[in-house]
Amino acid sequence: GAVVSQHPSWVICKSGTSVKIECRSLDFQATTMFWYRQFPKQSLMLMATSNEGSKATYEQGVEKDKFLINHASLTLSTLTVTSAHPEDSSFYICSATRDRGDGEAFFGQGTRLTVV
Amino acid sequence: AQSVAQPEDQVNVAEGNPLTVKCTYSVSGNPYLFWYVQYPNRGLQFLLKYITGDNLVKGSYGFEAEFNKSQTSFHLKKPSALVSDSALYFCAVRDTGFQKLVFGTGTRLLVSP
């Protein structure tokens, strides 16, 4: 099956600093990648959709200047949480789809971000 | 707009008994339906999908799901539950012509020994 690797698995940072999370498709080309945020005991909230070589499409209510997404290649997308604050602490998950039309998504293992 | 409902926050079942996790959906076109499982502090693992064809879909770890168009449902089932099946289960739908998956709120499955 297709493998998506997300790094780091967990990160602790100080308020005001920026954190970058990487999402890589290891054995396929991901035309589209998605970034989700998950609060404890809640479902996944889609933050943005990114297509290689173009600007990400953010969901309503998600600050694009706060959550910078870059999809520079067909195998890599990054999410940068800028000027992080404790309320940004969450579980962030990426997923990627192949250009096969059925929309099956492959998920990274997630990143636990804690801002102190 | 596409949406998914998982009416049960939690399902409890004894090991060896059959289990069902419910999911209903709403889309404007033909649905692509998925079930994923999540273990603590992990990403989502794919279980199965319905795109077209047979209404009964078989997936990983002995799970199956039945697509019912008239009831707009896609319930997840397993004939005999294992304690190791205890996890958080998400149903998701994608409408044809759209890229993104819409997830249900998730159902926590607890299988007791």
Side-chain angles (χ1 to χ4, degrees):
Chain A
V3 178
V4 174
S5 177
Q6 191 172 337
H7 177 81
S9 298
W10 59 269
V11 57
I12 301 173
C13 71
K14 292 183 177 180
S15 289
T17 62
S18 296
V19 173
K20 180 184 285 188
I21 303 170
E22 292 188 348
C23 181
R24 293 181 184 273
S25 57
L26 297 185
D27 52 359
F28 68 100
Q29 292 185 329
T31 53
T32 306
M33 288 186 169
F34 304 87
W35 287 95
Y36 297 86
R37 185 173 178 177
Q38 186 179 29
F39 293 99
K41 299 184 179 180
Q42 293 190 27
S43 187
L44 280 71
M45 181 192 79
L46 180 65
M47 299 174 67
T49 302
S50 77
N51 292 293
E52 184 266 339
S54 62
K55 290 183 178 181
T57 302
Y58 289 81
E59 295 298 302
Q60 194 170 15
V62 178
E63 300 175 60
K64 62 179 69 176
D65 294 332
K66 173 92 176 152
F67 299 99
L68 300 179
I69 291 172
N70 185 284
H71 193 163
S73 76
L74 283 171
T75 59
L76 174 65
S77 177
T78 60
L79 167 67
T80 302
V81 182
T82 62
S83 187
H85 291 284
E87 56 264 32
D88 298 325
S89 299
S90 192
F91 194 58
Y92 294 87
I93 306 176
C94 72
S95 75
T97 59
R98 294 179 291 199
D99 188 15
R100 292 173 64 184
D102 63 18
E104 181 178 343
F106 304 92
F107 287 81
Q109 62 268 50
T111 297
R112 170 74 57 194
L113 170 63
T114 303
V115 185
V116 298
Chain B
Q2 47 195 2
S3 65
V4 176
Q6 291 182 245
E8 304 152 317
D9 289 337
Q10 183 165 308
V11 170
N12 297 306
V13 65
E15 188 174 31
N17 284 357
L19 69 87
T20 299
V21 182
K22 296 180 180 178
C23 171
T24 58
Y25 66 90
S26 174
V27 296
S28 56
N30 293 320
Y32 293 165
L33 293 156
F34 304 83
W35 274 102
Y36 289 88
V37 59
Q38 185 182 33
Y39 295 96
N41 292 310
R42 305 288 301 200
L44 275 64
Q45 296 178 30
F46 171 79
L47 283 179
L48 50 80
K49 66 181 176 183
Y50 172 82
I51 304 300
T52 186
D54 289 341
N55 290 340
L56 184 62
V57 179
K58 293 187 183 296
S60 306
Y61 313 119
F63 284 93
E64 57 188 32
E66 185 167 10
F67 171 64
N68 188 316
K69 189 173 183 178
S70 62
Q71 297 184 3
T72 61
S73 67
F74 190 58
H75 301 331
L76 181 69
K77 300 182 179 184
K78 187 173 183 180
S80 178
L82 299 173
V83 173
S84 57
D85 292 330
S86 298
L88 188 57
Y89 290 80
F90 289 100
C91 181
V93 67
R94 185 173 84 89
D95 203 345
T96 52
F98 293 89
Q99 285 184 312
K100 63 182 181 182
L101 282 176
V102 173
F103 286 87
T105 49
T107 298
R108 186 163 301 279
L109 173 66
L110 289 178
V111 182
S112 55

